[in-house]
Amino acid sequence: DAGVIQSPRHEVTEMGQEVTLRCKPISGHNSLFWYRQTMMRGLELLIYFNNNVPIDDSGMPEDRFSAKMPNASFSTLKIQPSEPRDSAVYFCASCLRGLADTQYFGPGTRLTVL
Amino acid sequence: AQTVTQSQPEMSVQEAETVTLSCTYDTSESNYYLFWYKQPPSRQMILVIRQEAYKQQNATENRFSVNFQKAAKSFSLKISDSQLGDTAMYFCAFGVYNQGGKLIFGQGTELSVKP
């Protein structure tokens, strides 16, 4: 299995620009999670989906952040407009059913907003 | 509120020695599970080991084992015969059954294995 795939691996953009991060979960997994990792705040859960439906988005920092999962094999996290404080590593993870299953992480996207 | 605390920000160990990383958690739930994840410099999050709270037996995976003390809400990771490739950030994580698979992570312990 290819594992969780994220793209791009690195993104450098300027403040005010729109950023879209992409994730392909492991085939057959029904739950998908987006995390943000920073030195100051550690690993934070932003949002998660079960069967393509957003279940909990309480971790999304503000309206500039949005996430979609149009089908079982693809999800996006969009930041518009981006700000320097959004600079972080963003991880996507998936698991089989979302009840108590082990999460498997993608390689992450390192975002730098100048 | 559920919390996970890793009180050791940094640790070091000599190659081939044994090291124990600490983790404590706080919850009022009874049905939960715990993980240790490893994040090497490549930043990939890698599952190390999983423990079900309802199991009394401590989980083991080759050189990695846990000491799960449910009453004390403690979940430490022991790495035996440390190898240079074990150098990484280690995260303890906690999840509750039927909460959609959400995990709460500790702040991490940075482990350096020295030759």
Side-chain angles (χ1 to χ4, degrees):
Chain A
D1 198 318
V4 177
I5 298 172
Q6 289 187 249
S7 65
R9 294 293 306 276
H10 304 273
E11 177 80 30
V12 180
T13 189
E14 294 191 346
M15 183 173 64
Q17 296 297 305
E18 177 180 296
V19 174
T20 299
L21 311 181
R22 296 172 176 80
C23 175
K24 177 179 169 56
I26 293 171
S27 178
H29 281 194
N30 295 322
S31 293
L32 183 141
F33 305 79
W34 281 102
Y35 291 90
R36 178 172 68 176
Q37 185 179 35
T38 61
M39 289 294 292
M40 291 298 296
R41 300 174 68 90
L43 202 60
E44 304 173 275
L45 177 65
L46 299 178
I47 184 171
Y48 74 95
F49 296 83
N50 192 33
N51 292 322
N52 312 337
V53 176
I55 303 300
D56 185 349
D57 66 355
S58 60
M60 295 286 261
E62 49 198 274
D63 292 345
R64 297 185 297 107
F65 286 69
S66 62
K68 294 182 179 180
M69 193 164 185
N71 57 62
S73 59
F74 184 66
S75 177
T76 60
L77 177 68
K78 185 177 293 186
I79 309 172
Q80 165 65 17
S82 58
E83 296 182 3
R85 60 193 169 119
D86 301 330
S87 297
V89 179
Y90 290 82
F91 286 100
C92 175
S94 71
C95 68
L96 190 58
R97 291 166 300 176
L99 296 176
D101 297 303
T102 298
Q103 290 186 25
Y104 295 91
F105 283 74
T109 296
R110 180 176 292 281
L111 173 65
T112 302
V113 183
L114 302 174
Chain B
Q2 297 157 351
T3 59
V4 177
T5 302
Q6 294 179 250
S7 59
Q8 305 152 314
E10 298 178 355
M11 293 191 73
S12 65
V13 63
Q14 292 296 127
E15 197 175 7
E17 297 294 309
T18 295
V19 64
T20 298
L21 309 183
S22 301
C23 173
T24 58
Y25 58 94
D26 189 22
T27 183
S28 57
E29 300 284 344
S30 57
N31 297 320
Y32 56 90
Y33 48 100
L34 297 147
F35 295 102
W36 280 96
Y37 281 90
K38 165 186 175 181
Q39 187 178 38
S42 66
R43 80 167 181 253
Q44 175 77 52
M45 291 285 283
I46 302 166
L47 175 68
V48 175
I49 203 165
R50 172 178 172 140
Q51 174 77 44
E52 310 297 329
Y54 65 83
K55 290 186 178 179
Q56 291 188 341
Q57 186 174 6
N58 289 325
T60 63
E61 286 289 342
N62 301 314
R63 297 183 296 107
F64 299 87
S65 61
V66 299
N67 183 4
F68 175 48
Q69 300 289 329
K70 191 171 183 179
K73 295 181 181 175
S74 169
F75 182 60
S76 60
L77 175 69
K78 185 172 81 171
I79 306 174
S80 303
D81 185 25
S82 297
Q83 300 176 359
L84 297 178
D86 295 334
T87 292
M89 184 75 85
Y90 286 80
F91 292 94
C92 177
F94 165 94
V96 178
Y97 282 87
N98 297 322
Q99 285 195 359
K102 284 176 63 173
L103 294 179
I104 299 170
F105 284 84
Q107 287 296 98
T109 295
E110 187 169 4
L111 177 66
S112 297
V113 180
K114 301 185 184 303

